[in-house]
């Protein structure tokens, strides 16, 4: 299928509300984002390329979240897949920008991962960013691993409970 025709069909289906959960070739039955606007500078013949990949991260406190981000150029769509499941499009924040000198399109994409999401998968959560520029052009970023930080309890000396009046110094041993 011609790339421009495929994109036109995606745009039409999206505006009619047909595409909610995809079963398109190259998408794997995952959620499709509403196609991002395409203009004359979008080169659909080029495969997407990641110039920033999501990074490994640790969740350190009970209410802390981790923001994963990636940047792809020559892409018309970007989404995340975490533990082999597509992230719902409403949870993905995409920002399109253009380099006026090179006429290159960039999509900055990010998601927020919560501690409860990581805990559902036994404290190891893996995400990958996926970018498309047309049919059969899905490209994956490097995989990021999100873990809950744990203090390993290997002490040389057991911690000792100490009580001290406020305002006085204390030495922890």
């Amino acid at each position: 299928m011609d790339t421009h025709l495929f994109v036109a069909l995606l745009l039409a289906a999206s505006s009619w509300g047909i595409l909610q959960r995809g079963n398109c070739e190259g998408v794997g039955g995952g959620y499709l984002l509403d196609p991002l606007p395409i203009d004359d500078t979008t080169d659909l013949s080029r495969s997407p390329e990641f110039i920033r990949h999501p990074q490994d991260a640790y969740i350190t406190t009970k209410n802390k979240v981790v923001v994963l981000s990636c940047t792809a150029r020559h892409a018309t769509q970007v989404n995340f897949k975490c533990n082999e499941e597509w992230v719902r499009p409403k949870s993905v924040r995409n920002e399109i920008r253009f380099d006026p000198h090179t006429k290159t399109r960039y999509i900055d994409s990010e998601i927020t991962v919560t501690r409860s999401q990581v805990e559902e998968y036994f404290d190891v959560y893996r995400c990958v960013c996926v970018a498309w520029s047309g049919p059969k052009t899905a490209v994956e970023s490097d995989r990021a691993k999100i873990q809950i930080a744990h203090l390993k309890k290997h002490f040389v000396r057991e911690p000792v409970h100490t009580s001290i009046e406020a305002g006085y110094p204390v030495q922890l041993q």
Side-chain angles (χ1 to χ4, degrees):
M1 179 184 287
D2 179 52
T3 304
H4 293 290
L5 176 61
F6 178 80
V7 172
L9 288 172
L10 277 177
L11 286 170
S14 175
S15 66
W16 297 328
I18 295 172
L19 291 181
Q20 295 299 325
R21 185 154 165 78
N23 193 13
C24 296
E25 197 171 330
V27 177
Y31 289 96
L32 292 172
L33 296 172
D34 288 334
L36 299 171
I38 297 172
D39 64 10
D40 301 359
T41 63
T42 305
D43 184 359
L44 297 176
S45 66
R46 298 188 68 173
S47 291
E49 179 183 355
F50 284 98
I51 58 172
R52 187 169 47 107
H53 297 264
Q55 301 294 308
D56 293 348
Y58 288 92
I59 295 180
T60 55
T61 60
K62 209 56 164 161
N63 296 321
K64 184 150 174 134
V65 297
V66 169
V67 176
L68 291 182
S69 59
C70 66
T71 300
R73 65 177 155 208
H74 311 301
T76 56
Q77 249 184 4
V78 177
N79 198 0
F80 279 86
K81 188 189 275 191
C82 294
N83 285 9
E84 303 308 318
E85 293 181 15
W86 290 102
V87 174
R88 293 187 180 276
K90 290 180 181 179
S91 301
V92 179
R93 293 172 298 284
N94 284 322
E95 182 180 316
I96 303 169
R97 56 188 173 88
F98 291 94
D99 180 337
H101 301 296
T102 63
K103 304 284 190 215
T104 303
R105 172 193 177 108
Y106 295 88
I107 300 177
D108 298 311
S109 187
E110 69 179 28
I111 59 170
T112 301
V113 177
T114 65
R115 182 182 184 100
S116 62
Q117 287 174 294
V118 176
E119 287 172 339
E120 284 180 37
Y121 289 92
F122 307 105
D123 297 343
V124 178
Y125 198 70
R126 291 179 175 85
C127 294
V128 65
C129 202
V130 182
W132 296 267
S133 65
K136 300 182 183 180
T137 60
V139 176
E140 288 190 355
S141 69
D142 293 342
R143 194 166 299 275
K145 181 168 59 171
I146 300 94
Q147 299 178 73
I148 296 175
H150 296 282
L151 177 62
K152 294 187 178 181
K153 297 180 181 178
H154 296 153
F155 294 102
V156 176
R157 262 176 80 182
E158 279 295 315
V160 178
H161 176 73
T162 302
S163 295
I164 190 83
E165 195 174 320
Y168 288 91
V170 67
Q171 183 178 356
L172 299 176
Q173 298 180 14

